[in-house]
Amino acid sequence: MTAAVHFHDQHVEGAGGAFRDDVIHGLAAAPKALSPKHFYDARGSRLFEAICAQPEYYLTRTEEGILAAAVDEIAALVGPDTLLVELGSGASRKVRRLLEALRPSHYLGVDISRDFLLQSTRRLAADYPWLEVHAAWGDYSAGVRMPPSLAGHRAMAFFPGSSIGNFTPAEAEAFLSRLRRALPPGSGVLIGVDLVKARDRLEAAYNDAAGVTAAFNLNLLERMRRELGAEVELGAFAHRAVFNEAASCIEMHLVSRERQAITLDGQRFAFELGETLHTENSCKYRLEDFQALAARAGYRSGAVWLDDQALFSVHYLVD
Ligand code: AVI
């Protein structure tokens, strides 16, 4: 760790331990399911960056366009001398434009992928010597914890990419409400939310022609093999992403191509032909439904920006 980045170790158990427990629990469940947070080991984080560059995955570039157009307005709303907290900071690319316009006094990146977090916060510290850079290694979905040295700073949480969509609406509401309680009064949230649109467009974004999303999904099985010593046949599973209209979510699954089993720690988890392991929900909102959800969590809408095709929205929520 270089002196320029203040590191806060907030991971609760060894990451491998949490993964093992969740995999055993998820494979024993009916239907079988695993939290999407486990996608993001170093390889998964790199694959996710590659997904963001795929032509079908409109989310990233659309959100970046919205942020570029709105950044001065955002800076005026937020004001100077804030603490910018980035949730799921990953490569910390989108935040750069915000940092340059807002000139916050402090930055805190929170991410589950330790190596990725360290690399990206070190780069921020090198590129913005006027900024006090903090890195919290942990699972923000379990609740954001402010490092004691940063408590009391008026903050703006930046939660881009429609990662809120990876929670169910009930979980999203609980998450926002916990986030509001974790941040000092008067803090805001700048959050990217993907919008409901035609099925074809949505499904194409999660079934890119280059197969990057498929590799990202299948990487979960590789992680099981590599980190947990699971016996699993990668070629015996296929990637599937479909829009569940009733739930307004893209659902990702790993579909068993045959009758088979995954063996882990001496336990055998049988799969029927066609049976799936549900790996992700990516919920899509109507504008008014998301605003109502945020209101139930105690936030009012300070501003909302859309692209000209209304594919994606960026909301500034105020306490
Ligand atoms: C991080 N999250 C918002 C992405 C999404 O679109 O739900 C993860 C992802 N899964 C497949 N492609 C991208």
Side-chain angles (χ1 to χ4, degrees):
M1 188 82 246
T2 62
V5 174
H6 304 259
F7 183 69
H8 308 275
D9 183 346
Q10 297 187 339
H11 83 292
V12 179
E13 305 142 271
F19 182 45
R20 182 179 298 275
D21 293 348
D22 282 4
V23 168
I24 290 173
H25 191 254
L27 289 177
K32 296 178 170 64
L34 192 58
S35 164
K37 71 183 179 193
H38 296 302
F39 283 131
Y40 302 95
D41 65 341
R43 178 164 185 265
S45 297
R46 280 195 301 275
L47 284 167
F48 177 62
E49 286 305 305
I51 288 174
C52 293
Q54 295 309 302
E56 299 91 338
Y57 196 75
Y58 60 85
L59 288 81
T60 310
R61 61 174 183 277
T62 308
E63 184 179 49
E64 281 174 356
I66 296 171
L67 288 171
V71 74
D72 292 338
E73 237 180 297
I74 296 168
L77 282 167
V78 176
D81 292 331
T82 47
L83 157 66
L84 202 160
V85 181
E86 187 178 17
L87 304 175
S89 50
S92 293
R93 207 186 40 244
K94 289 177 197 161
V95 81
R96 285 175 172 260
R97 207 186 288 273
L98 277 180
L99 291 173
E100 285 157 23
L102 265 70
R103 286 256 168 179
S105 51
H106 298 71
Y107 168 86
L108 171 67
V110 185
D111 206 280
I112 197 166
S113 174
R114 188 178 188 277
D115 295 345
F116 222 57
L117 175 72
L118 288 178
Q119 273 171 30
S120 54
T121 48
R122 278 176 187 152
R123 273 200 301 269
L124 288 182
D127 293 346
Y128 304 112
W130 44 266
L131 184 65
E132 188 175 306
V133 176
H134 292 251
W137 174 35
D139 174 13
Y140 68 76
S141 68
V144 172
R145 279 181 294 146
M146 290 304 263
S149 62
L150 293 175
H153 275 282
R154 193 172 63 89
M156 185 190 77
F158 180 45
F159 194 30
S162 201
S163 292
I164 192 79
N166 297 136
F167 296 124
T168 64
E171 289 166 351
E173 185 183 325
F175 172 78
L176 284 179
S177 145
R178 275 200 313 269
L179 177 64
R180 197 170 62 81
R181 290 195 298 271
L183 300 177
S187 299
V189 182
L190 186 68
I191 182 166
V193 181
D194 196 16
L195 299 174
V196 179
K197 58 187 64 64
R199 171 184 292 276
D200 288 3
R201 186 88 196 248
L202 284 169
E203 291 186 348
Y206 292 82
N207 289 284
D208 59 278
V212 185
T213 308
F216 175 72
N217 200 5
L218 286 158
N219 183 52
L220 274 174
L221 300 175
E222 269 189 59
R223 273 199 79 183
M224 289 181 201
R225 206 158 63 172
R226 203 172 50 238
E227 292 178 33
L228 310 180
E231 283 170 42
V232 47
E233 185 58 58
L234 255 65
F237 286 90
H239 163 72
R240 178 192 289 162
V242 285
F243 185 51
N244 175 339
E245 209 160 330
S248 200
C249 288
I250 285 279
E251 286 188 7
M252 287 211 320
H253 293 259
L254 288 164
V255 188
S256 181
R257 296 178 190 267
E258 56 195 56
R259 282 192 87 194
Q260 58 169 321
I262 294 179
T263 306
L264 174 58
D265 286 353
Q267 295 182 67
R268 198 175 168 277
F269 301 97
F271 279 79
E272 293 300 327
L273 167 68
E275 190 179 350
T276 76
L277 172 61
H278 184 179
T279 52
E280 187 178 60
N281 284 321
S282 193
C283 296
K284 310 299 171 186
Y285 286 92
R286 273 172 247 285
L287 215 50
E288 56 281 14
D289 292 343
F290 183 74
Q291 285 170 327
L293 183 154
R296 291 194 297 275
Y299 280 113
R300 70 182 169 78
S301 174
V304 55
W305 300 270
L306 305 183
D307 58 292
D308 54 10
Q309 294 180 69
L311 296 174
F312 199 91
S313 60
V314 174
H315 301 246
Y316 181 56
L317 305 176
V318 282
D319 186 4

